[in-house]
Amino acid sequence: MSTDRPAAPESVHFIRAIIDQDNRSGKWGGQVVTRFPPEPNGYLHIGHAKSICLNFGLAREYGGRCHLRMDDTNPTKEDVEYVESIQEDVRWLGFDWGEHFYFASDYFGRMFSYAEELILKGKAYVCFQTEEEMRATRGTVTEPGTPSPWRDTAPEDNLRLFRQMCAGELPDGHCTLRAKIHMGHANMKMRDLPMVRIRHAHHHRTGDRFCVYPLYDFAHCLSDSVEGITHSICTLEFENNRELYDWFLDNLDGVHHPQQIEFARLRLSYTVMSKRKLLALVKDGQVSGWDDPRMPTIAGLRRRGVTAESIREFAERIGVAKANSTVSVELFESCIRDDLNSRAPRLLAVARPLKVTLTNWPEGQVEELDAALWPHDVPKEGSRALPFSGSLFIERDDFALTPPKGWHRLAPGGEVRLRHAYIIRCDEVVQDDSGEVVELRCSVDLDTRSGSAAADRKVKGTIHWVSAAHAVPAELRLYSRLFRVEDPDAAESYAEALNPDSLEIVRGAFVEPAAATMPQDARLQFERQGYFWADPKDSKPGALVFNRIISLKDSWAKAQPAAAPAPLLRVTTTHKDKMTGIKTMLSVGKTGSTLHPTYGVPMLVAKIVLENQEVRDYVDGAIWSEPDPAITPAMIVNMVVNELLPAAKGAPLATLSLNPAGLAALVGLVTGGEISTKQAKEVLAECLRGGESPAAVVKRLGLSQLSDDASLKPLVDAVLAEHQDKLIELRAGNVRLLGFLVGQVLKRSGGRANPSRVQALVEEAAARA
RNA sequence: UGGGGCGUCGACAAGUGGUAAGUCAACGGAUUUUGAUUCCGUUUACCGCAGGUUCGAAUCCUGCCGCCCCAACCA
């Protein structure tokens, strides 16, 4: 286990912030109950892993629990095969749902009685429109829909009809139970969505017990509710559904009402994530199955040899937010390498062998080298016996007849070190009739064995090798990215997007003997090649098959101009630099120049006041209430627009506990120098909360502003003394430090220092250099 | 054209009125019997754009631009 490295500090993403807030307010009594609710109609993938890590991780962090729930409301699509694979995958990722394994289908009976409750309340009705009719009458995003002719059926009739549906007296599609909400609702989801449909189908769990099945929106909130979920976390596309989620639970009596929270699902570059496309890859035979090591499925990653730890680390590193974004696959690869680096013992293997004969090695002699399994910076002990002889295989790629510039490997007449062994010199190249190199005849420098006295002779390169007589044959499967384009979803077709070289099967490779005796599930590094492990399905003793989990970084290959293995096609989708600049410049009305005659503010600001009678009355009231000539209408308007309106949070201004005269008084405190604008904000909030007058708040909180230099100077000097370096930087032209220093003085004064005076003093000090 | 969301370095992502975190990538350099790892350092992100408020704005206000989601008896 690679747990000795300090865990990355977890960031407080917005969901953790919500939970922290709930725990402070006691909203759920300190409980955190989450759930992972997959539909058992496909295999889980890395995108689900993000959600699993989030839900189970949160529960673990906060000492709560996370349920695993099969969202099996659609009998025609779901299958037990999937419920098993899902459980296996979640468990493999390292999470435990304990007793809390559920099926939405367990709640069907309760859901239908909730449906009856809604029917009786006149909140649901049985509708006989066909699918097409329903679509046609739903309206569009800009036009309202038209009500169903059955919308006003009496509750008792609806109840009778609904019971007929449930009893199986009606054929598929004959009618549905619909929520009675509003056919003109701006949120399309609220336009009387169907809750229950008729499906005479065999369900993988409830068998033929039901012939009606609830739809997602109705089923999901109730499943969460009956399980006592507190935080129902789902992906962004369900944001529109939240209103419906809340509607159902608000309209049912005495039900628990979880909070739905949406976050951005994972998108990965060079990867497809949709079930449909993944299924197509399997069906079209582009991959060998759901667990093909190139697949982003959990099963595929597992078979490739990726560890659960690296997936969890990845989930933590990408964070959780609401911005729709695409994580570059390099980040995932980095997590995989990082985990394997400290986990995998190092061994030697040759993928494409080239014979090397050591001409001066004693005939038939075999030397057993004691070779360390770990590099110097992995704090682990251990070595294995590595047989060395006069007949070896090296990697074909490690020899070049005409070496390019910067070549560190073997070339005619050149020297390299054989890892853990000797330095050899290539004396002779044997080629066949076609000119292909078939053998190298080399001489070995017998004084240079690793660890021996004279071993420190330096040569440019070190290469891997195996002894021909001891080499164990193996098949290597070299996997790389399935797609060669960054955004395969945007590609026209597979043909164009698929990487033709995503799997290279190398038969005739050789591994050192120790590789055959490692535990079956051990992750290994074949030095200079990558991380591997034995394929769990196909590798057998005597017929070894190793999957490459991930290659090593290769700065040599990357530096070679032509050979760059990286993407051939790049579909760039920078949503930046679109011309937004130009467009806005054309459409913007300049606000700076013209001021509104009575209010003295830019027209655009005045418009806010003018267009809303309520605001206008308030502003005018404030202006006329205060005879103090130091207060201009502009000050009032700015205070109202920029501070009061947002603080009021949409409440009618007339109901505010700060009346126009009070607001004018507040402005007066600022112009009079009693408080700063910053403090004014605080006072405003207090007035709104408690109904006190501004002056009373200032008095109670002791906010009176410090403006005299006599009390300010010592504070400024103290801060400057403490931050000498910052003052120097400020003098050097880093004006941002001005804000920092002023802020420090303000903090020291408990917020009472007059900021503009402080700023002047700091500027003076800086100028005094 | 209605409603719901989202725009901070090449990629993720903190930050919620007082010096724009961190990670990956990239680029240098050191160490290295893996062209790996490790370690150091670098890349001036003026925070979608434009105005406004403020001593001070990524953060507050206004307008605009761009992207995503919603019109399955799928989830």
Side-chain angles (χ1 to χ4, degrees), chain A residues 472-477 505-511 532 538 543-547:
Chain A
V472 179
E475 175 180 318
L476 264 32
R477 295 179 181 171
I505 296 177
V506 180
R507 295 179 227 272
F510 290 111
V511 300
F532 290 79
D538 296 343
L544 298 175
V545 177
F546 290 99
N547 293 338

Side-chain angles (χ1 to χ4, degrees), chain A residues 403-540:
Chain A
K405 210 168 166 241
W407 184 254
H408 286 182
R409 288 114 93 146
L410 202 55
E415 284 187 318
V416 281
R417 166 161 311 265
L418 297 175
R419 174 105 242 234
H420 299 300
Y422 299 84
I423 292 172
I424 59 169
R425 173 190 304 279
C426 175
D427 302 316
E428 193 187 338
V429 179
V430 183
Q431 291 167 278
D432 68 10
D433 297 340
S434 65
E436 185 166 3
V437 177
V438 293
E439 183 188 345
L440 303 178
R441 299 179 63 79
C442 301
S443 52
V444 54
D445 181 344
L446 295 167
D447 293 334
T448 57
R449 177 160 55 88
S450 283
S452 71
D456 54 348
R457 184 154 79 81
K458 295 285 183 227
V459 287
K460 275 271 181 54
T462 299
I463 63 172
H464 56 271
W465 55 275
V466 291
S467 166
H470 307 87
V472 179
E475 175 180 318
L476 264 32
R477 295 179 181 171
L478 307 183
Y479 294 104
S480 43
R481 293 172 190 168
L482 228 200
F483 293 95
R484 59 176 172 178
V485 296
E486 209 173 294
D487 183 4
D489 285 326
E492 300 267 312
S493 66
Y494 282 153
E496 153 190 340
L498 244 14
N499 173 9
D501 305 317
S502 60
L503 168 58
E504 191 180 347
I505 296 177
V506 180
R507 295 179 227 272
F510 290 111
V511 300
E512 66 164 281
T517 61
M518 286 284 169
Q520 176 78 38
D521 63 347
R523 272 59 170 194
L524 312 171
Q525 186 194 102
F526 292 150
E527 291 199 40
R528 305 210 304 133
Q529 314 227 50
Y531 295 100
F532 290 79
W533 85 323
D535 185 275
K537 273 189 179 166
D538 296 343
S539 187
K540 301 278 172 332

Side-chain angles (χ1 to χ4, degrees), chain A residues 204-267:
Chain A
H204 68 92
R205 201 169 158 77
T206 59
D208 299 315
R209 192 143 75 90
F210 298 102
C211 57
V212 290
Y213 293 92
L215 269 343
Y216 169 81
D217 289 288
F218 182 57
H220 200 86
C221 58
L222 288 173
S223 302
D224 283 348
S225 179
V226 307
E227 288 180 17
I229 301 300
T230 57
H231 304 269
S232 175
I233 299 168
C234 62
T235 47
L236 250 28
E237 68 268 29
F238 291 101
E239 273 176 324
N240 296 316
N241 300 57
R242 187 178 59 232
E243 201 172 359
L244 239 195
Y245 185 106
D246 291 334
W247 187 89
F248 281 124
L249 296 179
D250 284 343
N251 282 287
L252 259 5
D253 288 332
V255 297
H256 170 78
H257 190 151
Q259 178 184 2
Q260 176 177 309
I261 303 168
E262 311 85 15
F263 73 101
R265 62 150 27 106
L266 173 66
R267 287 196 304 180

Side-chain angles (χ1 to χ4, degrees), chain A residues 47 123 446 612:
Chain A
K123 305 264 185 197
L446 295 167
N612 187 328

Side-chain angles (χ1 to χ4, degrees), chain A residues 619-640:
Chain A
V619 166
D620 290 347
I623 291 172
W624 297 117
S625 74
E626 182 52 66
D628 183 348
I631 301 177
T632 65
M635 290 172 184
I636 303 276
V637 172
N638 283 327
M639 181 67 85
V640 169

Side-chain angles (χ1 to χ4, degrees), chain A residues 357-411:
Chain A
T357 303
L358 301 178
T359 49
N360 61 335
W361 185 260
E363 181 77 32
Q365 182 176 317
V366 174
E367 181 172 357
E368 287 230 323
L369 302 167
D370 180 46
L373 288 168
W374 304 96
H376 63 92
D377 52 358
V378 175
K380 292 184 177 174
E381 300 289 321
S383 63
R384 84 289 191 181
L386 178 61
F388 185 85
S389 70
S391 182
L392 312 171
F393 294 120
I394 67 165
E395 202 69 57
R396 284 204 101 80
D397 287 352
D398 284 339
F399 173 77
L401 260 179
T402 50
K405 210 168 166 241
W407 184 254
H408 286 182
R409 288 114 93 146
L410 202 55

